[in-house]
Amino acid sequence: MVTRRKGLGHSLKDILKNDLTAEELDKFMNGYNKTIYIIGAGGHGKVVADIAKKNGYKKIYFLDDSTKGQLGTYSIVGTTDDIDEIHQREKDADFFIAIGNNEIREKVFKKLKERDIKLPILIHPSAVIDETVEIGEGTVFVANAVINAGTKVGKNCIINTSASVDHDCIVEDCVHVSPGVHIAGGVHIGKRTWVGIGSSVINNINIYDDVIVGAGTTIIKHIERPGKYVGMPLRRLDQ
Ligand SMILES: CC(=O)SCCNC(=O)CCNC(=O)[C@H](O)C(C)(C)COP(=O)(O)OP(=O)(O)OC[C@H]1O[C@@H](n2cnc3c(N)ncnc32)[C@H](O)[C@@H]1OP(=O)(O)O
């Protein structure tokens, strides 16, 4: 875990006012010349590219194992088999995984970590993240995400559009909190869990690893086993 850092959405005015710490200034300046290879040229990839751009990345390329050519204005320049060559060639380039599926995202994350590649944290400038929040590498906060005091968000997570994670929560690695989800205080979300769009979780709930919470579900009890859960009262689909 690293302590929360600001996104690179600072302005020249901030620099001239001397409003940035040395560390922030360094990140800002580095970001301005940096290249990022985004793995996963799908819809989420487009969203991540926009955030990377807003975080100051100048050169943005995609890698994808099944799609070639272009993603909008961005070039898809290779596959995950090219990671080693790119890493050797461009030591300063960053990699970021923009794959919605938690298991596949975790697999690619492990591949990068086996090569000792450190991933950045991407934060949309409109996200509101308390300064006490701890964030793991490779995690993205999409527009209007709100994360409150004392929360820890693990590595390789997606905190999607307008999702809120309130105070003192623990979000483990490789979790996806979908758009419009609201998670109350003191909630624990296990590894690789996917909280579906528009769901709510009341305070002090534990949700196990590898859980899928269906769209629009309200969770009022602990979920103690992996599986797909929907409805009110909550039922498990895959048993
Ligand atoms: C930026 C982005 O796009 S991020 C992506 C956001 N997307 C999401 O959050 C999608 C979340 N996915 C869902 O909610 C899915 O419906 C899942 C994963 C829960 C279930 O998908 P499947 O396994 O394909 O289930 P399937 O569609 O076959 O439905 C099985 C049963 O569950 C019911 N069901 C499925 N989802 C839900 C739900 N969210 N709430 C209530 N009931 C549901 C179905 O009506 C069906 O009921 P029946 O057996 O009585 O007819």
Side-chain angles (χ1 to χ4, degrees):
M1 289 275 186
V2 295
T3 305
R4 185 224 155 203
R5 69 162 175 76
K6 280 183 184 169
L8 293 166
H10 304 295
S11 66
L12 194 56
K13 226 162 92 191
D14 291 329
I15 298 175
L16 294 175
K17 276 197 308 187
N18 216 6
D19 257 7
L20 303 184
T21 64
E23 192 197 5
E24 282 170 345
L25 183 61
D26 187 45
K27 277 176 181 153
F28 178 79
M29 297 315 286
N30 279 336
Y32 258 102
N33 291 313
K34 272 191 106 166
T35 301
I36 193 163
Y37 286 86
I38 298 173
I39 302 166
H44 180 55
K46 285 193 243 180
V47 174
V48 168
D50 176 57
I51 299 168
K53 200 169 162 185
K54 289 181 164 73
N55 281 207
Y57 286 95
K58 265 276 189 271
K59 294 179 190 158
I60 300 173
Y61 301 110
F62 277 89
L63 302 178
D64 197 287
D65 287 352
S66 53
T67 312
K68 288 183 180 160
Q70 290 286 125
L71 180 69
T73 57
Y74 299 108
S75 300
I76 305 168
V77 296
T79 70
T80 50
D81 289 338
D82 298 314
I83 289 170
D84 285 326
E85 197 213 308
I86 295 166
H87 186 50
Q88 288 301 316
R89 195 181 63 215
E90 299 173 57
K91 291 260 184 281
D92 281 345
D94 280 341
F95 290 89
F96 200 88
I97 312 161
I99 297 171
N101 181 290
N102 292 343
E103 282 173 28
I104 302 174
R105 197 170 64 258
E106 181 181 57
K107 216 166 131 189
V108 178
F109 184 77
K110 282 181 178 162
K111 185 168 176 163
L112 294 175
K113 293 319 292 175
E114 279 161 14
R115 287 154 179 79
D116 246 349
I117 295 173
K118 183 149 175 45
L119 283 76
I121 295 163
L122 296 180
I123 302 175
H124 191 282
S126 66
V128 177
I129 302 178
D130 182 87
E131 63 183 16
T132 61
V133 172
E134 290 179 25
I135 305 167
E137 60 181 309
T139 285
V140 60
F141 298 86
V142 180
N144 292 321
V146 178
I147 314 292
N148 278 343
T151 282
K152 292 182 182 174
V153 181
K155 299 170 191 163
N156 198 27
C157 291
I158 304 168
I159 309 297
N160 223 320
T161 318
S162 298
S164 65
V165 183
D166 224 288
H167 62 89
D168 304 308
C169 291
I170 297 174
V171 177
E172 300 282 2
D173 298 345
C174 307
V175 163
H176 179 184
V177 179
S178 294
V181 167
H182 295 303
I183 295 175
V187 170
H188 183 276
I189 300 180
K191 284 181 189 158
R192 293 172 300 276
T193 280
W194 176 24
V195 187
I197 189 161
S199 298
S200 304
V201 184
I202 68 162
N203 49 308
N204 303 321
I205 288 292
N206 293 327
I207 300 180
Y208 205 73
D209 299 344
D210 299 298
V211 166
I212 296 174
V213 174
T217 304
T218 302
I219 305 291
I220 58 168
K221 287 184 182 158
H222 302 309
I223 296 181
E224 289 165 338
R225 276 183 297 166
K228 282 185 203 170
Y229 296 83
V230 300
M232 177 63 86
L234 195 68
R235 67 184 169 114
R236 190 173 154 197
L237 289 182
D238 51 343
Q239 57 185 351

